Amino acid sequence: MNLNTAVNKDEPRDRHYRLPANVYRATSRRPAPHLGKAPLAARLTIIYTLLGLLSEALLSIQPFIRGLCELQGLRFMNYLCVQLTSAYDVFRAVKAKIRQRVRTALNRQDPNWRSLNTCPACQYPTLGEPELEFELLAAMDGNDSLKQVERRDADWDSSTPGQLKERYDPRVGGDNYFLDPTDVDQWDQKNWPNLPGWNQIEQTGEPRKGCEDHWENMKKGHTEAERGIFNKTGVFVASCRHMFVLWILDMIKSGEQRKYALAFLNRFLSASHEERATLSSSTPGKKAFGYDIGCQFDTTLSKSPLHSLAKKERVKILIGSLHGHAHNRRCQLRYLLSYIDGCGLEDLEVLERLFSQSNALALATRHASKFHRRQMISSWMYHHDNFEAYANLSKFIYNNYRQALSILKTKDDVVSRMKDIGVTDAKEIFGWLDEEWEYLGTREEEPEEDQNKIDLYTKLVKLKECRIRLEATRASFISYTPAEADRTRRLERTMSCGEDSEGWKEAAEMSRTHVYRKAIDRLEGLVVGRIFELSKMHMAGTGYKMRRHLGKALKNRSKAIQEAVNLYNSAAAKLSPPREALDYDDVVEKAYLSELDFLRDTRSNVREKIWAIPANRVLMVQYFKLYRAWEELDRLHVEIKRLLTYMKEEKEFLLAVESNLTPTDPHLAYQISLHRWERARFNDLHCTHLRKIFRLPGFDTANLQYFKAGVGVKRQRAGDVEDGEDELTSADDEEDDLSDEEEAEVEAESHTSALFNRDAHEWQVLT
């Protein structure tokens, strides 16, 4: 860094810096590696490579300046931050313009292109690959760390915020990562009637209550205090399971509202639908999106104008494995990944890992301007996608492959234990889930048959009272038609026609103990679910973080259990004879269903169910983990072939474009070579990680067929982006292109990828 300050001899010299003789004032005279904060009379120049270091290091301006001053033995001055910021803005503007030209040259200038092609393993399908249950596994979640303070004048005499004092800046920033706020606001529920696809007839009834009360960022009171301080209260991010960012949405003066998830899905699904039309693909693959409050959002999605598009694109909303254990057990059976076919070993908690890294930006973005905040976040995400997520892609595949093979080693033990308890068909274990779902459902709502009996008994009791009053008051005349008499007799016959009948006595007893039964059903459902969570918490293989999360979820659920115990004791005391009261501490200390004596008084004793036995529940978890391990291998084989195909075809495509542009525009060709090297530098690392899979114990050599490049469905050709030529082809040209594509497909499928030629002897040994 060169600090070019005009020295004034009348001022003390310790306020200025001596300059090297090769630093010039005017831009036209400045050497190329330097960049000034002003175009003409630049009094300070910064080495261009130093700005590149700042960009790649993703540091804040002030700590960076302090470090440079310390290295050069200079004292820190605040104005240096302003000057470096101006020069850095110019640097970022130049980089953005270069990227825009590169994208145009590669025919990738569409705003949706990045989100549809960022992850090779998820979004680069190959011809003839096996069909997966879900073509995409993604996650979406909000993060409130990357806030931005709203700059206002301090008005200490008024309770209202002062006037905005942030300088107007027409720049937007964010590159192609951020969605426009206007696109987000239209998905606010009050604006639904203005959107296409809205059908008011389907919006009747109250939405089902979900689990949103468990999440602090879903509560309105959580953000009320922040609205007067922060303009941006965080970001809402979506990424694939490999941590490649799809879209980012600013949360503006609000918590994690549903409009953010709806806006993201609308943009992503609409773009996917358009892309599929260009690829002449008719049937979309299923897409799974994990969300902390997936159960509640699934209901919102089904009632929103986005419902038809989501159904057409075959969207399924799930809950991540970590947050899923804070939901009730019945919700887990429906949305938790462990019980959903096609999810493999994925947990969809990828954004928690992403946020743990991006939270370091909070210090820099908290007091930044709107433009600089977006610039820093998008720069960080770009660096993360291309230099972190892509670099770790093959390592992710290797680790998951090793984990799946280690789980498959337990197959013989699981099969042996299944035979010991008399399970001869795996369908029986799936049946256990159905039985548990039905059992927990009956504890949330009273059986319809019992409710009908109580309602009928209540009506007949009221009818009897009316008859007594009728006999006592002959003065009033009540018309009683034969039709009404017949209907009354039919109701009485359903109760076996008399007060001394068994049906009447049964209904009378049910009516008398109705409140008690509802109380014990609620307590039973909560306690049984808690014990099931305790079994997961003490199960071998449960990590420390998962244990902490389960402990927190159980602590929150204990409050509901305490309320249920109080309600039970109140209802039990009113019975004749009264039931024994329960002690809350005694209930929550129980770790096994066999220790809960009050379960004997329930409609059906859950302790007699085969799926409620602790040993069988452990077996059920192990079985589903084994089942998901097979699914994970199937997905990894597809992802390996996609990655190898992407590496091969992307390199060929970029080299061809670079070669075509070199004679006419060598500067642009050079920038394309730099763009190619951003990801190509990691290809050797990917080959190394994938070759290590061959050495894993339990690797099946029959799967070697997936370790070679295929032909990408989205394959680009250099002829598609030649500069200055019209995209017009004759019928003969189309036939030639089709023949070339078929020939290339046969050639690619007939030989092993050249990426593995260095270790060809390993293939011979394994085969």
Side-chain angles (χ1 to χ4, degrees), residues 145-159:
S145 294
L146 301 181
K147 300 182 178 73
Q148 181 209 11
V149 174
E150 190 171 48
R151 300 180 181 181
R152 291 181 176 272
D153 291 326
D155 189 357
W156 305 107
D157 298 332
S158 175
S159 59

Side-chain angles (χ1 to χ4, degrees), residues 569-624:
N569 290 336
S570 176
K574 298 178 181 179
L575 296 180
S576 181
R579 301 291 196 274
E580 182 180 358
L582 296 177
D583 181 65
Y584 167 74
D585 294 331
D586 185 53
V587 171
V588 296
E589 287 176 0
K590 305 300 183 184
Y592 300 98
L593 293 175
S594 57
E595 299 175 340
L596 297 173
D597 295 333
F598 78 91
L599 293 178
R600 297 193 181 96
D601 204 20
T602 57
R603 286 197 297 268
S604 60
N605 194 346
V606 66
R607 295 175 297 183
E608 299 175 356
K609 305 293 185 181
I610 185 173
W611 47 265
I613 300 175
N616 292 349
R617 296 201 65 80
V618 175
L619 175 62
M620 183 167 59
V621 171
Q622 293 177 343
Y623 171 79
F624 279 108

Side-chain angles (χ1 to χ4, degrees), residues 178-204:
F178 280 85
L179 278 183
D180 191 272
T182 56
D183 295 335
V184 177
D185 292 337
Q186 66 178 347
W187 288 98
D188 198 344
Q189 188 167 359
K190 63 183 180 182
N191 298 326
W192 286 2
N194 302 326
L195 296 174
W198 170 260
N199 188 354
Q200 196 169 3
I201 299 177
E202 299 179 0
Q203 313 306 316
T204 57

Side-chain angles (χ1 to χ4, degrees), residues 35-37 81-97 148 151 166-175 178 180-181 231-232 250 368-376 378:
L35 186 66
K37 78 179 190 67
C81 294
V82 179
Q83 294 175 334
L84 180 60
T85 299
S86 300
Y88 184 69
D89 286 348
V90 176
F91 173 82
R92 295 302 310 180
V94 171
K95 295 285 288 185
K97 188 64 176 179
Q148 181 209 11
R151 300 180 181 181
E166 183 169 346
R167 186 182 61 184
Y168 171 74
D169 192 343
R171 298 173 296 179
V172 178
D175 200 11
F178 280 85
D180 191 272
N231 180 33
K232 307 294 191 303
D250 273 327
S369 65
K370 296 179 181 179
F371 167 75
H372 288 115
R373 174 180 172 274
R374 276 198 168 194
Q375 178 180 264
M376 282 186 281
S378 61

